[in-house]
Amino acid sequence: ETGVTQSPTHLIKTRGQQVTLRCSSQSGHNTVSWYQQALGQGPQFIFQYYREEENGRGNFPPRFSGLQFPNYSSELNVNALELDDSALYLCASSSSSGGWYEQYFGPGTRLTVT
Amino acid sequence: AQRVTQPEKLLSVFKGAPVELKCNYSYSGSPELFWYVQYSRQRLQLLLRHISRESIKGFTADLNKGETSFHLKKPFAQEEDSAMYYCALSGRKTGGYQKVTFGTGTKLQVIP
């Protein structure tokens, strides 16, 4: 069984640029959630993808968007980067079978916006 | 709206002393509560959830709906318990959507 992987590990971008972060979900998981974790804060929910569609979103602007592919891997895209977007971005995968699905987290991508 | 509050950023205890990490929540309904842990250089992982009512690594947590609390407890702290602990809440799922709200975390430091 393969765990959740994320790429890249670290990324430095300039304000105004666009970025794409990638996540491979754990084998057998069909749901992916993305979180933003600013320094000293807990993870904040960005959105969740299930069967290639966004089915829930937190308080993040539309410039945060995502995709989920048929193999359940996912991308997080952020346009028009701002300095406050600097954070650790976490991906978590889960399976929708059963009443509640435990989330398995990836190691994160550290994004720095200068 | 759902909110999770962890009032302590840092909790330092001596090895063998009891541990209590505080968590209070706000949610209009019946939430599911969890504790996640992040050890140094490791990824975030689920420690326990209130529905399971189980003890993991000696830790327990009881949901107190009257006080809207879900404190994490362990009678005797071990050095390997040193980590970052996050309390989290999941509201009712609608259409398969599960939003999890995390607290800001408490760093537990166990002093040898």
Side-chain angles (χ1 to χ4, degrees):
Chain A
E1 188 177 270
T2 307
V4 179
T5 61
Q6 292 186 245
S7 62
T9 307
H10 297 91
L11 203 53
I12 299 175
K13 289 286 189 178
T14 303
R15 190 170 52 183
Q17 286 188 315
Q18 178 265 343
V19 70
T20 297
L21 310 182
R22 294 178 175 82
C23 170
S24 290
S25 58
Q26 184 160 312
S27 175
H29 288 181
N30 57 13
T31 302
V32 174
S33 301
W34 284 92
Y35 295 85
Q36 181 195 66
Q37 186 174 19
L39 202 59
Q41 301 295 316
Q44 282 198 60
F45 177 76
I46 302 175
F47 44 53
Q48 184 178 83
Y49 276 82
Y50 171 64
R51 291 186 175 179
E52 302 178 51
E53 289 192 7
E54 182 184 301
N55 74 339
R57 173 178 276 264
N59 297 325
F60 281 82
R63 61 189 184 85
F64 284 79
S65 63
L67 284 171
Q68 187 181 31
F69 301 100
N71 66 354
Y72 305 125
S73 65
S74 177
E75 287 183 353
L76 164 66
N77 299 290
V78 187
N79 293 322
L81 283 167
E82 301 177 0
L83 296 179
D84 284 348
D85 295 334
S86 295
L88 180 69
Y89 288 85
L90 297 170
C91 159
S93 76
S94 53
S95 171
S96 62
S97 59
W100 178 84
Y101 23 103
E102 178 175 344
Q103 296 192 338
Y104 291 80
F105 283 83
T109 293
R110 173 75 61 188
L111 173 64
T112 302
V113 182
T114 62
Chain B
Q2 50 192 67
R3 187 166 58 238
V4 176
T5 303
Q6 293 180 251
E8 303 143 325
K9 282 193 175 297
L10 173 66
L11 181 65
S12 296
V13 301
F14 286 101
K15 178 181 173 182
V19 174
E20 183 178 46
L21 300 170
K22 291 182 166 45
C23 172
N24 288 90
Y25 68 90
S26 172
Y27 182 71
S28 55
S30 295
E32 291 191 60
L33 275 296
F34 315 92
W35 278 97
Y36 281 82
V37 61
Q38 188 168 29
Y39 300 102
S40 179
R41 299 177 191 273
Q42 293 188 29
R43 61 187 66 188
L44 199 60
Q45 58 185 286
L46 180 67
L47 179 62
L48 54 81
R49 51 187 290 229
H50 87 271
I51 283 181
S52 304
R53 301 186 66 81
E54 56 192 347
S55 173
I56 304 293
K57 298 184 179 183
F59 284 99
T60 58
D62 290 319
L63 178 61
N64 185 323
K65 292 186 177 180
E67 296 182 359
T68 59
S69 68
F70 187 56
H71 304 326
L72 184 67
K73 299 178 182 179
K74 184 171 183 177
F76 308 104
Q78 303 297 315
E79 288 181 64
E80 55 265 30
D81 296 330
S82 294
M84 197 73 182
Y85 291 81
Y86 294 95
C87 181
L89 177 156
S90 174
R92 183 180 308 158
K93 295 185 290 298
T94 54
Y97 159 45
Q98 175 191 30
K99 176 184 176 182
V100 180
T101 298
F102 284 83
T104 51
T106 298
K107 183 175 181 179
L108 175 63
Q109 183 181 60
V110 180
I111 304 165

